[in-house]
Every structure is written in structure tokens, then in C-alpha cells.
Amino acid sequence: MADLKDFAEQLVNLTVKEVNELADILKEEYGIEPAAAAVAMAGPAGGGEDAAEEQTEFDVILKAAGGSKLAVVKLVKELTGLGLKDAKELVDGAPKPVKEGVAKDEAEALKAQLEEAGAEVELK
């Protein structure tokens, strides 16, 4: 049990770059799509009465592409699985939701990645 707690702590403390590397490893070596992994990890979370009071699903809203629009378009394409044209339309049409109804951890990770690329992001 202590090993699982240590593992969980390591996962929580990953940097954005490390999360991206982990997603690549899961996809390339094990055939697990990162979005599917995040949903699978978020599924069992929650439970008691505290969970009912606390917001569990978040929408990641792209407010603006910022200075490096191309980097944001590429990242949106990668994160959502959209085609290049659809990702560009999403970024051009900001403010728009990038992902809806995601777990808090995933939403914060997406926000951090998008902000690192130069975008303005809001969680709702």
C-alpha cells in the first residue's frame, strides 16, 4: 500500500513536460491514448458527501491564443485529437471550450500546457 501512495505522489508532482513524456510513452509503447488514460484515471475518483459539494467536472475554455498562435493550434490539435483545420477554427473562434466535463487534475494540466504555449485559458 505504501508503494501505491508513493507512486500516486510521484504522479501528482510531475511537471507538464514529464506528463507529456509519460503520455508519449503510454501511446507509443502500450497503445494507450492519453485522453483515454486520463478518463480512466478520473473515473474511480470521488465518493462521499464532500465530493457532492465540491465541483468535480470542469470546462477548459480557451480565451485567446496569445502571441504564439501556431504553437497553441498545434497543442489544441494534439490535446483534442482534432484535425489541423478544426483546431485552427477552435483557436480562431476563441473564447471556446477546448474540453468539457473533465476532472480537476486533467483540467489544470490542460490549462498549464496551453498557458505554457502562450494561450489565455479559464477553467469553469
Side-chain angles (χ1 to χ4, degrees), residues 7-71:
F7 179 65
E9 187 171 328
Q10 287 175 332
L11 284 175
V12 170
N13 292 322
L14 289 176
T15 64
V16 172
K17 183 178 178 184
E18 291 169 333
V19 169
N20 283 333
E21 289 175 15
L22 177 61
D24 290 340
I25 291 169
L26 289 173
K27 184 175 182 180
E28 292 170 10
E29 293 185 21
Y30 300 99
I32 300 172
E33 290 291 327
V39 171
M41 289 174 56
E49 293 177 21
D50 293 338
E53 295 174 14
E54 189 175 325
Q55 182 177 353
T56 58
E57 291 186 348
F58 294 84
D59 295 341
V60 180
I61 310 294
L62 177 69
K63 291 174 65 176
S68 51
K69 181 178 166 184
L70 181 60

